Amino acid sequence: MTILVTGATGTVGRHLVTHLLAAGHRVRALSRRPGNAGLPADVEVVRGDTTDVDSLAAAFAGATAAHLINFGHGYRPLDNGEEVAAAARRAGVGRVTLLGGWAEGTLEPAVRASGLEWTQLRPLEFMANTLTDWGPPLRAEGVIREPHGDRRSAAVHEADIAAVAATALTTDGHAGQTYTLTGPEALTPRDKVRHLAGATGRDLRFEELTPERARALWTTEPPALRIYRVAPGGPAEKADFVLGLYGNVPEAGSTPTDVVERVTGRPARTFARWAVEHADAFRG
């Protein structure tokens, strides 16, 4: 079977390509810039963009399954979901996994209504967000300054998202399922800084900000936080959005699930392991 991977050069997509190749599947990767994809030589890389449905015909042709992401440029949810789902169905794609972004767009309901055999993947927080959120301040100063330092989140390793996707794309029993994906434990920012300090051998610190101080700082000096960048509105609205999220973490975001182990047959990877794998990104 040929499996199409959209977002193949992204955080999850590269891991998914690796999983599928290791299992002996033919992999086709969608990329806006095929020449810069940097994927293994035995991956078929085709030019295309999910925001341009006309570019997807060649990508879907002959594919029996596809991994779809619900967002395009700037992590904005797709507004052409019905067209993408219809193109996949016309090409004879039978099975899809759907990776959601930070907000639902038009693709999720379109896929659910399309007749495709779908599995929805809902990671609540990527461990990889730590690279963009904390990499710059930890390399520069060795300090993370944020409010609500006791909040907890059960972030998931991006390789585990890919492992669940690979299983759902290539084995039976996952159609119509929505999988909430988390890591095996709920950690505070202080816990994560401690793990990064151990992985890097550096004296890294967490400093608590009051919400008022954080808001004043973020409206004049925007943070590297990915969620801040994609939040709606101007600096004040973005700051209020993130402060509200940090101060009221949804129960689902701080409650580990067993989905990764149940689907893949092995425990979810820990943040401590992720920190060791990415330690160089946090060294000064």
Side-chain angles (χ1 to χ4, degrees):
M1 58 191 299
T2 296
I3 301 174
L4 172 68
V5 178
T6 67
T9 61
T11 302
V12 174
R14 287 188 183 276
H15 284 285
L16 178 54
V17 167
T18 299
H19 280 296
L20 293 172
L21 288 177
H25 299 288
R26 292 192 295 271
V27 179
R28 180 180 296 157
L30 186 74
S31 174
R32 293 191 297 271
R33 295 176 293 276
N36 298 329
L39 293 168
D42 44 358
V43 174
E44 178 192 0
V45 183
V46 297
R47 185 183 302 278
D49 189 329
T50 51
T51 63
D52 176 13
V53 71
D54 291 337
S55 72
L56 299 180
F60 282 134
T64 51
H67 174 70
L68 305 176
I69 56 177
N70 85 331
F71 50 88
H73 308 295
Y75 299 102
R76 297 184 184 89
L78 295 176
D79 60 6
N80 63 341
E82 291 187 4
E83 291 86 351
V84 173
R89 187 69 188 271
R90 283 197 303 272
V93 174
R95 179 179 292 176
V96 301
T97 51
L98 177 59
L99 177 62
W102 72 285
E104 184 168 295
T106 61
L107 187 58
E108 289 94 337
V111 166
R112 290 193 293 263
S114 67
L116 294 165
E117 185 179 315
W118 58 267
T119 305
Q120 189 159 350
L121 310 177
R122 285 184 174 166
L124 299 175
E125 181 184 347
F126 289 24
M127 291 181 186
N129 291 350
T130 313
L131 290 170
T132 53
D133 289 358
W134 285 6
L138 286 182
R139 287 192 298 270
E141 299 182 79
V143 181
I144 292 299
R145 298 181 178 91
E146 289 185 359
H148 301 294
D150 292 324
R151 69 184 189 274
R152 292 185 176 274
S153 66
V156 62
H157 196 303
E158 51 274 17
D160 284 335
I161 303 171
V164 171
T167 302
L169 285 168
T170 60
T171 64
D172 295 331
H174 306 282
Q177 298 294 313
T178 296
Y179 289 139
T180 299
L181 304 177
T182 74
E185 55 193 344
L187 301 177
T188 68
R190 291 185 177 88
D191 294 329
K192 292 178 182 179
V193 169
R194 175 171 50 82
H195 284 306
L196 290 168
T200 60
R202 298 181 65 202
D203 180 21
L204 305 179
R205 296 178 292 116
F206 180 89
E207 291 185 5
E208 179 95 17
L209 296 179
T210 65
E212 295 75 19
R213 175 57 182 152
R215 188 179 192 279
L217 184 64
W218 291 352
T219 53
T220 57
E221 299 178 25
L225 302 172
R226 186 187 69 90
I227 190 65
Y228 184 95
R229 298 199 307 273
V230 301
E237 290 80 9
K238 289 177 182 291
D240 288 339
F241 178 86
V242 178
L243 286 170
L245 185 64
Y246 281 7
N248 299 279
V249 176
E251 183 178 353
S254 59
T255 305
T257 72
D258 67 347
V259 171
V260 170
E261 184 167 10
R262 185 154 42 87
V263 173
T264 68
R266 56 159 189 73
R269 296 166 173 88
T270 64
F271 185 83
R273 172 175 174 173
W274 184 95
V276 170
E277 293 170 354
H278 297 86
D280 286 347
F282 300 95
R283 294 192 170 103

